[in-house]
Amino acid sequence: MDRRLASKVALVTGGASGIGRATAIAFARSGASVAIADADMAGAQETASYIEGHCDARASAIAVDVADAESVRAMVRSTVEQFGRLDMAFNNAGVHDRAASLHVSTQENWDRVMSVNLEGVWHCMRAQLDHMLMTGKGAIVNNASRSGLVGVPSDGVYGAAKHGVVGLTKAAAIEFASKGIRVNAVCPGLVETALTRARFGDELAARAKLANLLGRMAQPEEIADAVVWLCSDSASFVVGVALPVDGGATAR
Ligand SMILES: NC(=O)c1ccc[n+]([C@@H]2O[C@H](COP(=O)([O-])OP(=O)(O)OC[C@H]3O[C@@H](n4cnc5c(N)ncnc54)[C@H](O)[C@@H]3O)[C@@H](O)[C@H]2O)c1
């Protein structure tokens, strides 16, 4: 079994579901202790119980609203109190765009998408960097999207937030590389999760066929593997990338 992250501590936001849940499990299978933070505490508990039962690793569930800076600071404090350190963070919690087009998007939709998907990542990085700067080491991966690299019709507001995540990632990478902290982003294409089911409903299967060069959706585990690699020493020279994990969608 690959235990390359043994003795390390990972924090995953949005770990109750989808890509975050798969990544928390992948961290644990690599030997890391994992803090699973989510607004859905029951779901986070469920991920933590699964890890403790199946992965021979420690896990803990933490309630957080990533849109709230104080709640995020408490999440990082709690992780360090419970596990003694913080080595890796996956800032993944996110919501989908509820507007069919940016020209009919409401202020409420804009505020919600921006506060969770963009401001949430900023809150998380600030709190994590406070800790990592003290230890002089760390790896952060932010979950952007294909919509953070190219324009996607019907993802106008969501895409603006995700382009922002890529910008924050690159700026932080440049600022903190010399301090021992690597910051990168993953940019998934269409992944089969609760988010895409809620966003696309009955259209999902048809979209999946056209979404990329492979003609299918990704499974959350396929994104999780990229995140764990980016956080590991195997990616020690990888800094400031926005890595497409999208079945070639952005190649064309
Ligand atoms: N599914 C895809 O196709 C896809 C593609 C590209 C990027 N992404 C991104 O991946 C991330 C995860 O998405 P997913 O598809 O796994 O969705 P998901 O709905 O399965 O999981 C998202 C999780 O985030 C949590 N969350 C939402 N708002 C929160 C908040 N304010 N505070 C704390 N937790 C909160 C939810 O409770 C949920 O557990 C998102 O950032 C999304 O934008 C998804």
Side-chain angles (χ1 to χ4, degrees):
M1 198 190 278
D2 168 16
R3 306 289 287 179
R4 68 185 136 157
L5 300 180
S7 84
K8 303 243 177 179
V9 175
L11 166 63
V12 177
T13 70
S17 173
I19 298 168
R21 182 179 199 274
T23 306
I25 293 168
F27 273 130
R29 290 209 165 113
S30 295
S33 301
V34 191
I36 298 131
D38 205 295
D40 169 8
M41 190 56 177
Q45 290 280 17
E46 204 276 320
T47 304
S49 302
Y50 179 89
I51 287 173
E52 298 226 298
H54 295 82
C55 302
D56 190 22
R58 290 176 66 203
S60 165
I62 300 173
V64 72
D65 176 1
V66 296
D68 175 342
E70 261 321 300
S71 173
V72 168
R73 289 207 178 278
M75 166 188 78
V76 172
R77 258 198 320 272
S78 170
T79 304
V80 175
E81 275 165 18
Q82 293 184 66
F83 296 115
R85 50 195 287 157
L86 173 64
D87 303 293
M88 306 168 289
F90 181 38
N91 298 320
N92 158 80
V95 292
H96 65 88
D97 201 325
R98 285 187 185 144
S101 160
L102 67 89
H103 104 278
V104 294
S105 182
T106 61
Q107 185 69 47
E108 187 272 335
N109 184 55
W110 173 276
D111 292 344
R112 179 177 147 279
V113 170
M114 287 295 165
S115 66
V116 177
N117 291 8
L118 179 55
E119 212 177 315
V121 171
W122 175 56
H123 292 322
C124 287
M125 283 207 297
R126 284 192 301 169
Q128 293 151 3
L129 285 164
D130 273 353
H131 179 77
M132 290 176 178
L133 285 169
M134 282 192 294
T135 59
K137 196 163 166 39
I140 295 175
V141 175
N142 297 321
N143 201 350
S145 170
R146 174 178 78 110
S147 302
L149 296 174
V150 296
V152 176
S154 81
D155 261 2
V157 174
Y158 178 91
K162 294 298 189 180
H163 273 76
V165 171
V166 171
L168 274 178
T169 300
K170 290 183 178 174
I174 293 164
E175 199 173 338
F176 298 106
S178 64
K179 312 252 181 340
I181 302 162
R182 290 186 302 108
V183 185
N184 291 289
V186 284
C187 298
L190 201 61
V191 188
E192 190 170 6
T193 67
L195 183 145
T196 39
R197 283 190 290 274
R199 177 76 176 106
F200 299 115
D202 294 343
E203 285 174 39
L204 190 54
R207 275 189 176 254
K209 286 209 174 75
L210 301 172
N212 54 53
L213 307 182
L214 303 180
R216 66 169 176 85
M217 281 179 278
Q219 292 305 306
E221 292 74 17
E222 296 179 279
I223 316 304
D225 284 345
V227 177
V228 169
W229 174 73
L230 280 171
C231 284
S232 75
D233 287 345
S234 302
S236 52
F237 211 57
V238 183
V239 178
V241 302
L243 179 71
V245 189
D246 65 358
T250 48
R252 59 187 171 194

